[in-house]
Amino acid sequence: MNKTVNINIGGLIFHIDEDAYQKLTRYFDAIKRSLSNSSGKDEIMKDIEMRVAELLIEKQKSDKHVINNKDVDEVIVVMGQPEDYRIDDDNDAPGESKEPYYPYTKTKKLYRDKDRGTIAGVCTGLGHYFGIDAVWLKILFLILFFGFGTGFIAYIVLWVAMPKAITTAEKLEMTGEPVTISNIEKKVREEFDSVSNKFKSADYDKMGNQVKSGAEKIAGGIGDVFMSIFKVFAKVLGSIIVVFSTVSLVGLFIGMFTFGSTSFMNAPWQKYVEAVNYTDIPLWVFGVLTFFAVGIPLFFFFILGLKLLVTNLKSVGSIVKYSLLAVWIFAVGSLVVIGIQQSTERAYDGKIVQKENISLQPTDTLKIKFVYNDYFSKNIYDNDDFRFEQDSLKHEVIYSNNVTFQLKSTDKVTPYIQIEKLAEGKSFTEANQRAEKIKYGFKIVGNELILDNYLLTEMSSKYRNQNVEIYLYLPEGTMFKMDDSVQHYDRSDNEFFNLHFSDKNYIYKVEDAQVKCLNCPADENEYDDVEGANIETNVTGNDSVTTTTVKVNGEKVIVNETTKPMPPAPPAAPRKSGRLTTDSNGKIIKN
């Protein structure tokens, strides 16, 4: 039967039998004797005790477990003997190794490295644990923060969850080194020597001069504050630059492929890009040249951001710099040449003009409207610059709504319509050939002018800003009506003709210098183009007939006539019945 005692090791209470206690006490005394001449002995002993306490906790099977000699022997095997781990640089023989063999499995624990970290040491601790440079983890967090908004939350969570490496044993566990007496003493001596070197390298004469001059001391302090602020600002600016350049480079790389720079991709919109490609240069050449012209400056921008974040970042080398500069100059020069060639493809405008007279009686009112072809579209309000379609014969054509309408006056007796087909090219001949290939239709049926709201051209002509301009010339005195479809294509001068959108039944009359609206309401007289008309309302039977007339060549002409049913008369009020009575005074009253 052995006697047990309670001991405190590293702030933890253990139950240990007397023999094991004596052995552990002798072990600690031997360590103290071996460290008698070591700097930082107290710090080393504190870390050793905490490490021994961790090993003893692993041996405990329950709260009532008593530490015995076997447990102490196993701890000593892991920690090593004091005389074997004593570090004395002056006494060690060259090439002699005193490190004994003991079983150890290299494992790491996750801690925050506040000593080497910038903010909280999260990225530095993760770098130790995963064996990678902490700067890449910082870049990852910045990308997540600016790109997806989760980097800040993840950093705060890790900051709270990860403990900080405070003791020497924890710092060794963080880097995966065995927590033995030798490594603990090495770590403490390294930190002690680092602090000692800082004191030894200090310029005490300079410090003395600063103490003598209070003004210089204050100025130096202010300078340090500004330098600290500048360093923080540089870190933030570097982070923004790194994130911006990284996202831009990734987007540019993806765009190079989706732009049609590879032969195995055929995006639905690739035809549109080819249609505006005014040269015969393949699209993948555009993609590659654009990638280098924009991507190389972004790469150097990325390097600049890294240098602001990491002060001792190595340079990429002169060979790489000059090679990338040469590639960039070639890419930019090629794009300039291609751009000049592109502009020459649109240097000239071609035009084909078609005229046709409109037979109209003096008493007729010309009706104007736009129509669509339901084979290409089901909507009159389409506004497509251009798109690719198939006609009824399954031929690919370019479909466009680049159609405009303008109303103008003429001194001729007969009204006429003028259709102008326009296109661009690198010469007048080529531009006129493209304009001539434009297909546009219209027809005149009685007093009605029907215009197509689209044009067609061949695929071989490509898109060269093909459009159709319609000019309707009307002599003075001509009356006309506009369908509400015209408002989407009308480009007339408002000073001459102002289209009123509120009603398609408005009637207009061409006068000397302006088109007047004969039956528009007075509140729409914005351009002084509303002319009063004679409006009569007659009641015939149960209908109300409203007739609008104007005088043409001295004769009254009906321009609008509407019939509405009269509202029913309100029912007559019912007669009230009563009776005559007499009051108490004998007077006759009516109830």
Side-chain angles (χ1 to χ4, degrees):
M1 182 174 63
N2 294 331
K3 182 180 179 181
T4 62
V5 295
N6 294 331
I7 60 174
N8 186 327
I9 304 177
L12 300 176
I13 303 299
F14 295 94
H15 299 290
I16 184 170
D17 63 38
E18 189 173 9
D19 294 338
Y21 172 73
Q22 296 295 336
K23 180 178 289 189
L24 188 59
T25 302
R26 290 193 298 271
Y27 181 69
F28 282 142
D29 292 339
I31 293 174
K32 291 178 181 179
R33 287 193 299 271
S34 67
L35 299 175
S36 59
N37 297 324
S38 299
S39 57
K41 179 180 68 174
D42 295 337
E43 181 67 23
I44 296 173
M45 283 302 305
K46 180 180 178 181
D47 290 330
I48 291 174
E49 289 181 0
M50 293 189 67
R51 178 55 179 165
V52 170
E54 291 177 359
L55 295 175
L56 291 177
I57 290 175
E58 295 176 0
K59 303 296 181 183
Q60 285 185 327
K61 299 178 180 179
S62 65
D63 295 338
K64 298 181 179 180
H65 179 80
V66 178
I67 304 298
N68 53 34
N69 281 330
K70 181 181 178 182
D71 297 331
V72 174
D73 291 336
E74 291 177 356
V75 169
I76 294 174
V77 170
V78 174
M79 295 297 295
Q81 295 295 332
E83 60 273 13
D84 295 331
Y85 284 96
R86 181 177 180 181
I87 299 176
D88 192 351
D89 296 335
D90 297 332
N91 298 331
D92 290 345
E96 182 181 355
S97 177
K98 295 185 178 182
E99 187 75 19
Y101 171 78
Y102 61 91
Y104 170 72
T105 302
K106 186 175 183 180
T107 58
K108 296 181 182 180
K109 288 188 178 181
L110 190 58
Y111 291 99
R112 289 187 290 112
D113 189 355
K114 189 66 175 65
D115 297 334
R116 300 182 181 89
T118 304
I119 301 175
V122 173
C123 295
T124 311
L126 290 173
H128 290 313
Y129 188 79
F130 293 107
I132 59 177
D133 196 339
V135 67
W136 301 112
L137 294 172
K138 294 177 181 179
I139 294 173
L140 176 62
F141 274 104
L142 288 172
I143 294 174
L144 291 175
F145 176 71
F146 289 99
F148 305 97
T150 58
F152 178 75
I153 299 175
Y155 192 89
I156 295 299
V157 171
L158 291 173
W159 190 345
V160 175
M162 292 172 57
K164 182 173 70 172
I166 300 175
T167 64
T168 305
E170 291 173 345
K171 294 176 182 178
L172 291 172
E173 290 175 338
M174 178 175 62
T175 56
E177 299 179 53
V179 185
T180 60
I181 299 173
S182 175
N183 287 334
I184 290 175
E185 186 173 358
K186 284 181 181 178
K187 192 71 175 178
V188 173
R189 290 186 63 181
E190 287 175 1
E191 295 177 356
F192 183 82
D193 293 339
S194 176
V195 176
S196 299
N197 291 332
K198 290 182 180 180
F199 280 103
K200 291 178 181 179
S201 61
D203 190 349
Y204 293 103
D205 293 335
K206 184 177 179 180
M207 293 173 61
N209 294 331
Q210 290 179 348
V211 171
K212 294 178 182 178
S213 176
E216 292 181 2
K217 184 178 180 181
I218 296 174
I222 296 175
D224 293 339
V225 171
F226 278 106
M227 285 299 297
S228 301
I229 295 174
F230 177 76
K231 289 180 180 179
V232 173
F233 176 76
K235 297 291 183 182
V236 174
L237 181 61
S239 303
I240 295 174
I241 291 175
V242 167
V243 173
F244 170 76
S245 54
T246 302
V247 173
S248 300
L249 282 171
V250 172
L252 190 65
F253 183 77
I254 296 173
M256 180 181 66
F257 285 89
T258 57
F259 188 69
S261 58
T262 55
S263 58
F264 60 84
M265 293 187 65
N266 188 16
W269 44 264
Q270 189 169 341
K271 288 184 177 181
Y272 292 89
V273 180
E274 292 175 349
V276 297
N277 179 16
Y278 301 150
T279 64
D280 295 329
I281 298 175
L283 290 180
W284 65 266
V285 176
F286 281 101
V288 173
L289 291 176
T290 304
F291 177 77
F292 286 120
V294 181
I296 291 176
L298 287 174
F299 173 76
F300 284 108
F301 207 48
F302 174 77
I303 297 298
L304 174 62
L306 285 182
K307 286 185 177 180
L308 291 176
L309 286 175
V310 184
T311 55
N312 57 348
L313 184 69
K314 294 182 179 180
S315 176
V316 294
S318 299
I319 297 177
V320 176
K321 289 180 181 179
Y322 291 121
S323 300
L324 291 177
L325 179 62
V327 173
W328 180 78
I329 293 174
F330 173 78
V332 172
S334 301
L335 288 176
V336 170
V337 173
I338 294 173
I340 295 173
Q341 188 176 356
Q342 288 274 85
S343 61
T344 57
E345 291 289 328
R346 300 183 56 182
Y348 297 91
D349 295 327
K351 180 168 65 175
I352 300 297
V353 180
Q354 177 185 355
K355 290 184 179 180
E356 186 169 339
N357 291 330
I358 301 174
S359 299
L360 195 66
Q361 298 298 324
T363 57
D364 288 343
T365 299
L366 181 63
K367 298 179 180 179
I368 306 166
K369 70 175 181 179
F370 279 86
V371 295
Y372 60 89
N373 188 325
D374 56 3
Y375 194 84
F376 298 106
S377 174
K378 301 295 187 295
N379 192 347
I380 190 66
Y381 306 114
D382 278 350
N383 192 22
D384 290 321
D385 194 12
F386 73 96
R387 69 171 187 255
F388 300 98
E389 294 285 354
Q390 283 188 338
D391 60 12
S392 57
L393 300 178
K394 304 301 180 184
H395 296 153
E396 284 192 347
V397 294
I398 298 177
Y399 170 90
S400 174
N401 293 117
N402 283 336
V403 178
T404 60
F405 173 86
Q406 292 189 43
L407 190 68
K408 292 184 174 296
S409 63
T410 180
D411 55 358
K412 295 184 179 180
V413 179
T414 305
Y416 65 93
I417 185 173
Q418 179 172 308
I419 306 295
E420 297 185 1
K421 303 175 183 178
L422 299 97
E424 297 174 344
K426 62 182 179 181
S427 65
F428 280 120
T429 302
E430 183 181 292
N432 288 330
Q433 288 176 352
R434 283 199 175 96
E436 194 172 0
K437 292 180 180 180
I438 296 175
K439 298 178 182 179
Y440 179 77
F442 70 96
K443 58 184 177 180
I444 302 171
V445 181
N447 65 335
E448 190 171 13
L449 176 61
I450 303 173
L451 305 166
D452 287 346
N453 76 325
Y454 65 95
L455 63 91
L456 301 175
T457 189
E458 299 175 355
M459 284 286 295
S460 59
S461 297
K462 291 191 174 183
Y463 177 73
R464 293 297 183 270
N465 198 26
Q466 288 91 339
N467 63 92
V468 172
E469 296 179 356
I470 305 168
Y471 297 93
L472 180 60
Y473 290 88
L474 299 178
E476 185 179 353
T478 305
M479 291 187 298
F480 61 92
K481 294 175 66 174
M482 290 282 192
D483 186 77
D484 55 3
S485 60
V486 180
Q487 61 178 301
H488 301 282
Y489 308 95
D490 179 51
R491 302 294 184 271
S492 301
D493 183 6
N494 287 334
E495 296 296 332
F496 175 71
F497 169 61
N498 175 40
L499 180 60
H500 296 259
F501 304 144
S502 56
D503 195 338
K504 65 180 181 179
N505 292 318
Y506 291 154
I507 297 176
Y508 303 89
K509 181 181 178 182
V510 180
E511 296 190 355
D512 184 22
Q514 189 182 31
V515 175
K516 296 287 187 178
C517 181
L518 302 181
N519 55 345
C520 292
D523 57 359
E524 296 186 12
N525 194 22
E526 180 181 0
Y527 292 92
D528 195 22
D529 63 336
V530 176
E531 185 174 286
N534 186 19
I535 301 175
E536 299 177 357
T537 302
N538 299 316
V539 179
T540 304
N542 294 327
D543 296 331
S544 173
V545 181
T546 302
T547 304
T548 303
T549 61
V550 296
K551 286 186 177 182
V552 179
N553 297 329
E555 297 182 3
K556 182 183 289 187
V557 178
I558 298 175
V559 297
N560 190 21
E561 189 174 68
T562 58
T563 302
K564 294 182 180 179
M566 291 290 292
R575 293 186 62 185
K576 296 182 180 179
S577 60
R579 60 190 180 88
L580 300 178
T581 59
T582 59
D583 60 6
S584 59
N585 297 324
K587 294 182 179 181
I588 299 175
I589 60 174
K590 183 179 180 180
N591 292 329

